[in-house]
Amino acid sequence: MNTEELWQAVLAQIQLNISRANFATWFKNTKIISKNEGELIISAPNSFAKEWLEQKYNKIIFKILHNLDGEIKELKYIIGKQELGEIKIPKKTKITFLPTSQLEFPEFKIDSETNLNPKYTFENFVVGPFNELPHAAALAVSKNPGFVYNPLFVYGGVGLGKTHLLQATGNEIVKNFAEKKVKYIPAEKFTSEVIVSIKNQKMENFKSKYRQIDTLIIDDIQFLAGKEKTQEEFFNVFNGLYEKNKQIIISSDRPPKTIPALTERLRSRFEGGMIADIGLPDFETRVAILKAKSWERRVDFPEDVLNYIASNIQKNIRELEGALNRLIIHQKMTNQPLDLQTTKSLLKNIIFNPTKIVTPKKILQVVAEFYDLKEKDLLTSSRKQEYVYPRQIVMYLLRKELKSSYPFIGRKLGGKDHTTAIHAYKKITKEIEKEKRCEEEISLIKQRLYNNI
Ligand code: ADP
Ligand code: MG
């Protein structure tokens, strides 16, 4: 057995033991590059794949190899040749930047036909338990658009990778099927296209443009909430494409059933496909993401620095990137290796942000926004059901999260009696127990409250 066959045999067995998503992320473009006596060298495409293999998969790789070839006693991992030039970052290096020619970030141009940004790929999308399902679904869609999960509906909080995943899927479809017409569009932009087309009496153009699409990707669909005309047009576009087995991919910050003012027929269309949510990344994945991003930027930070960021920023990958960017800029300016002390002081504004503290005002604001209402609607005495329920949610959260007194809660909500507050708290507590939907809404609202979105 030559080394290539040997590695194929290993991969075949590994594939049976780990999830498809993990397999695709960590074993793509790996190979054995040499076998010398008992020592085998395995190459990985980048530094985080290498580390991941070393730390998480070494045991199983070794076991399989050893079974296939008893001579093998030791495994080593290295970073293989990259398309971007061979770049190796030794672990504890003091030199933090490579020569400028390699420092430049490749420039990414948004494709004017598809609206896709080539910087979003599956290769640079880190997979962990929190996004394994949507990743696997998106990957499957990219191999067989229109026929596996249609529509694919991905939801999750802000900054957790929805846009990245959707765009990566689009880019992959373009790569796999050159003839397919892919179009990415944020729902807000879709809405303004509808409005402009109606105004200029160009609806026919609009419709015929969307009829020609093979894969339609709509980002942040929650923006269609309450916009009936746009929803109607979207419904027509959706049906037209769906009937012809064209792929539709949608993202939202919440599941279809909790998008306010979404017409029933759209909701049931969304629920007819695959719904996959992106949760919150665990610590290990957060570190892996930081490593991946550092690698992309050709910077190397000490382990304790990355661990510090990952321990303190937990709910938003965009914020993780923001923190890393700040360190990179500092590094660039001072050209000094970074230590933990400096890191802490550089990041103190990001990590200890006073706006993160939850206040009654913030609860009002977040709940109003969640239900697409104005804050003042929550303070009235209107008995309209669309106000009553969100208002009770506000009272519930004031009690539950801030331990406010009932008289205080009553006053905060436009001078209501404390018994109203007690009633609201009890009612929502009960509702959470018996209604999955209520529980889900509260958890999404809390995410926004603490995640500062
Ligand atoms: P969302 O659309 O959910 O608000 P984005 O897709 O814009 O979030 O992600 C925010 C940032 O975090 C982007 O720069 C994206 O590349 C990065 N990011 C998110 N998820 C991942 C991931 N799993 N691996 C690598 N980078 C990620
Ligand atoms: Mg987004």
Side-chain angles (χ1 to χ4, degrees):
M1 211 190 279
N2 66 25
T3 55
E4 202 182 321
E5 288 162 346
L6 187 61
W7 192 236
Q8 285 310 319
V10 172
L11 293 181
Q13 289 195 38
I14 295 217
Q15 210 164 3
L16 299 174
N17 283 294
I18 69 174
S19 77
R20 235 166 80 170
N22 272 330
F23 183 78
T25 309
W26 306 117
F27 288 90
K28 197 169 176 180
N29 297 328
T30 55
K31 56 176 183 245
I32 296 176
I33 51 169
S34 72
K35 183 170 168 247
N36 202 348
E37 315 249 288
E39 186 193 272
L40 202 92
I41 300 182
I42 296 162
S43 104
N46 54 52
S47 67
F48 66 98
K50 167 179 171 276
E51 257 177 55
W52 211 267
L53 294 180
E54 270 169 347
Q55 286 168 14
K56 297 206 104 179
Y57 296 113
N58 184 48
K59 241 196 193 142
I60 171 171
I61 298 173
F62 182 77
K63 206 172 133 208
I64 297 171
L65 275 167
H66 192 74
N67 278 341
L68 290 167
D69 180 345
E71 260 185 23
I72 296 167
K73 297 276 179 311
E74 206 191 338
L75 304 183
K76 279 211 173 122
Y77 299 85
I78 62 156
I79 302 167
K81 265 216 168 67
Q82 294 304 314
E83 282 167 26
L84 298 148
E86 194 169 1
I87 292 147
K88 291 178 194 164
I89 306 173
K91 244 194 144 174
K92 292 266 177 296
T93 179
K94 287 258 177 289
I95 306 157
T96 42
F97 277 93
L98 292 152
T100 38
S101 61
Q102 294 178 344
L103 232 184
E104 302 308 325
F105 226 176
E107 218 180 290
F108 294 111
K109 265 220 182 91
I110 294 175
D111 184 289
S112 59
E113 277 293 308
T114 62
N115 276 333
L116 289 167
N117 187 331
K119 80 171 178 185
Y120 296 115
T121 62
F122 277 117
E123 280 76 27
N124 62 14
F125 189 77
V126 179
V127 182
F130 77 111
N131 61 7
E132 203 166 335
L133 176 67
H135 171 265
L139 202 61
V141 161
S142 74
K143 297 206 173 105
N144 198 0
F147 294 93
V148 271
Y149 305 118
N150 206 12
L152 171 61
F153 190 104
V154 174
Y155 75 91
V158 167
L160 292 173
K162 299 183 298 295
T163 298
H164 189 139
L165 187 61
L166 261 58
Q167 294 228 13
T169 313
N171 281 321
E172 187 70 17
I173 293 175
V174 170
K175 205 164 88 190
N176 293 343
F177 308 90
E179 76 291 353
K180 287 208 190 295
K181 239 180 132 97
V182 178
K183 190 169 174 72
Y184 166 88
I185 184 162
E188 272 179 306
K189 192 140 175 267
F190 183 87
T191 301
S192 64
E193 270 190 28
V194 170
I195 295 170
V196 170
S197 306
I198 291 175
K199 196 168 142 234
N200 299 338
Q201 300 179 324
K202 290 267 165 61
M203 258 342 255
E204 273 318 307
N205 290 5
F206 174 90
K207 284 180 188 155
S208 95
K209 186 173 100 182
Y210 279 90
R211 264 200 296 270
Q212 292 160 22
I213 291 170
D214 295 300
T215 295
L216 177 63
I217 305 174
I218 300 234
D219 207 354
D220 289 318
I221 198 99
Q222 74 276 5
F223 282 116
L224 298 195
K227 303 192 176 83
E228 270 171 40
K229 184 67 196 155
T230 312
Q231 285 190 31
E232 192 186 315
E233 290 310 333
F234 180 67
F235 183 77
N236 292 334
V237 167
F238 184 103
N239 278 351
L241 295 177
Y242 185 79
E243 277 160 16
K244 288 189 285 175
N245 281 328
K246 307 292 188 188
Q247 179 70 45
I248 299 147
I249 309 173
I250 298 163
S251 86
S252 165
D253 66 349
R254 59 190 94 180
K257 63 173 175 299
T258 62
I259 302 178
L262 185 67
T263 58
E264 202 42 51
R265 48 188 200 165
L266 260 186
R267 194 189 318 280
S268 68
R269 282 290 184 279
F270 294 165
E271 285 173 351
M274 159 79 134
I275 300 181
D277 73 311
I278 302 187
L280 293 176
D282 55 288
F283 177 77
E284 276 187 343
T285 317
R286 298 200 295 276
V287 173
I289 289 171
L290 289 168
K291 287 187 177 162
K293 303 278 172 194
S294 313
W295 180 82
E296 270 177 18
R297 306 284 296 270
R298 309 284 177 267
V299 222
D300 192 27
F301 291 120
E303 203 81 7
D304 58 347
V305 164
L306 297 183
N307 288 347
Y308 176 77
I309 307 175
S311 323
N312 286 285
I313 300 177
Q314 302 170 345
K315 296 176 178 161
N316 187 326
I317 296 171
R318 192 173 296 127
E319 278 186 16
L320 278 180
E321 274 189 319
L324 200 67
N325 280 339
R326 184 167 292 192
L327 301 186
I328 291 175
I329 291 168
H330 175 84
Q331 183 110 301
K332 232 176 184 170
M333 288 185 333
T334 60
N335 212 13
Q336 293 284 316
L338 202 70
D339 59 30
L340 189 57
Q341 205 54 39
T342 320
T343 303
K344 283 184 181 170
S345 93
L346 283 170
L347 298 183
K348 69 174 183 291
N349 289 338
I350 296 183
I351 287 171
F352 304 103
N353 185 343
T355 61
K356 282 195 172 203
I357 296 164
V358 173
T359 59
K361 192 170 164 27
K362 181 117 188 257
I363 291 182
L364 255 177
Q365 182 197 335
V366 168
V367 173
E369 213 180 83
F370 187 84
Y371 291 104
D372 205 22
L373 300 171
K374 301 205 169 55
E375 281 175 48
K376 68 173 190 329
D377 298 335
L378 294 171
L379 304 179
T380 61
S381 305
S382 161
R383 303 294 308 155
K384 270 203 206 158
Q385 193 48 38
E386 56 183 295
Y387 298 160
V388 172
Y389 175 67
R391 194 185 292 139
Q392 289 172 335
I393 299 263
V394 173
M395 294 196 244
Y396 168 84
L397 289 170
L398 283 171
R399 179 71 186 175
K400 183 91 182 162
E401 300 303 303
L402 298 183
K403 313 278 174 279
S404 307
S405 75
Y406 291 120
F408 173 86
I409 296 174
R411 278 200 305 280
K412 269 281 157 204
L413 280 128
K416 296 190 176 55
D417 195 65
H418 73 281
T419 53
T420 310
I422 297 176
H423 171 73
Y425 180 75
K426 285 194 179 147
K427 175 156 177 265
I428 298 297
T429 309
K430 261 209 204 110
E431 192 107 355
I432 291 173
E433 274 169 27
K434 62 178 213 280
E435 293 280 338
K436 184 98 187 65
R437 170 172 171 180
C438 180
E439 186 197 331
E440 214 158 19
E441 288 182 8
I442 294 278
S443 121
L444 287 164
I445 292 169
K446 278 203 212 156
Q447 241 186 53
R448 290 161 171 240
L449 217 47
Y450 292 100
N451 201 353
N452 199 27
I453 356 182

